[in-house]
Amino acid sequence: GGQVYRVTYCFSSRRSSARFLLYLCALLGSCIATYADGAPEPRVVHAIDTYPHVLWNESWGGAEAQADSWSIYSGSTVALTGDIEGPGWRLRSTGGYGRYHYAKLLRGLAGPEDTRLTGQKYFSTLLLGHQFQRQRLTIKAFAGLTSDRHIIDPRDPMQSAGGMVYGGKAALEAWLALANAQWLAGNLSWASTLQTYNFSARGGMAVLDDLDLGLEARWQRNRHHRAGRIGGFATWRIGDAGLTAAAGATGQRARPLGPYGRISLFLRF
């Protein structure tokens, strides 16, 4: 720390004045020696140091594949009020592309023929929602617009998914933090396009400070098919970012089980 010197002196004579000058020189030399020995300079505090780091955006992207389909996707959620981890209004946008295959009997020149069809799918959503926080429970509710476009080759006359369709979508998400670094999460959504219902659940625990392991399950249904999956996942967190890899078994009605894999990245800033 610094040193405080108090000087009390009365100018009574020339001799005393000379003594005072000698004392002042000695005091000045002591101060110079003190700072020459490496005493720390006062720290300059910038205004930016006083502001907390607020996270207002969460973005993600990934890919998944199974025996007869694959897709890529991305999305972003923006905190319109507050920060991304606390309560407040949210704006979410997502989009992606995928390809899928299936076999079907189609009428040909010689009658019904077993034909392999290839479909392409483009999808996007724009949702407005609110995040609620109550102790260890987080709930998010969203509603908005969705669009789907399917291109099927060759044309399937019985498939109503062909072309571009628009509709509404609603989603409900919940996250519950449990004891011993364990957690549960569940998502439920409905879209008027093809009357699509989707439910997923996950449960995991932190086995290390930056690594979570757990199980996941998903069930989906629309006008044309039903599908489900169950598997395991691992999430590796790096600061405000993370990487998730998952794998397991998936199946559809009247089809045998097959493997699936998924990998995704997320970033908060």
Side-chain angles (χ1 to χ4, degrees), residues 6-264:
R6 177 176 295 176
V7 179
T8 304
Y9 188 78
C10 178
F11 294 92
S12 58
S13 65
R14 292 182 178 179
R15 180 177 298 178
S16 298
S17 299
R19 291 177 180 176
F20 175 78
L21 291 176
L22 290 175
Y23 180 81
L24 185 61
C25 290
L27 176 62
L28 182 60
S30 175
C31 293
I32 295 174
T34 299
Y35 281 95
D37 288 339
E41 297 181 357
R43 178 177 179 267
V44 178
V45 179
H46 300 282
I48 193 173
D49 294 340
T50 63
Y51 289 91
H53 179 51
V54 176
L55 302 174
W56 60 274
N57 182 287
E58 182 177 54
S59 298
W60 64 90
E64 62 178 64
Q66 57 190 56
D68 55 0
S69 66
W70 61 266
S71 64
I72 56 175
Y73 56 88
S74 65
S76 179
T77 299
V78 177
L80 301 179
T81 58
D83 63 87
I84 200 68
E85 296 181 342
W89 289 97
R90 301 287 185 269
L91 182 64
R92 173 178 293 178
S93 61
T94 64
Y97 169 80
R99 293 177 69 95
Y100 55 92
H101 308 277
Y102 64 98
K104 192 171 186 178
L105 286 174
L106 296 180
R107 183 179 298 276
L109 296 177
E113 299 177 358
D114 192 7
T115 307
R116 177 180 170 87
L117 296 92
T118 299
Q120 301 180 64
K121 179 181 179 181
Y122 303 83
F123 53 93
S124 63
T125 63
L126 181 62
L127 307 175
L128 178 65
H130 196 279
Q131 178 169 314
F132 305 88
Q133 196 83 31
R134 184 173 179 83
Q135 297 180 353
R136 296 186 176 185
L137 177 63
T138 301
I139 297 178
K140 305 175 186 178
F142 290 93
L145 303 174
T146 183
S147 68
D148 285 292
R149 183 188 182 192
H150 291 257
I151 302 174
I152 302 175
D153 184 36
R155 180 178 177 273
D156 185 352
M158 302 300 295
Q159 178 63 266
S160 62
M164 177 74 78
V165 290
Y166 300 91
K169 182 174 182 178
L172 185 64
E173 303 174 359
W175 174 285
L176 179 62
L178 304 175
N180 301 321
Q182 301 176 17
W183 54 267
L184 295 173
N187 299 338
L188 177 65
S189 67
W190 166 83
S192 62
T193 53
L194 301 180
Q195 293 296 315
T196 302
Y197 298 86
N198 198 319
F199 172 74
S200 63
R202 305 174 76 202
M205 67 177 299
V207 296
L208 297 174
D209 291 340
D210 55 1
L211 179 63
D212 285 10
L213 298 179
L215 299 175
E216 66 177 19
R218 189 177 78 179
W219 179 79
Q220 185 181 54
R221 174 184 178 179
N222 62 27
R223 292 175 184 169
H224 304 288
H225 80 282
R226 300 176 185 179
R229 64 170 55 170
I230 186 169
F233 70 88
T235 298
W236 180 36
R237 295 183 301 275
I238 312 169
D240 293 324
L243 170 67
T244 297
T250 181
Q252 299 183 29
R253 184 175 57 180
R255 293 188 183 182
L257 291 176
Y260 81 89
R262 176 175 60 87
I263 187 168
S264 62

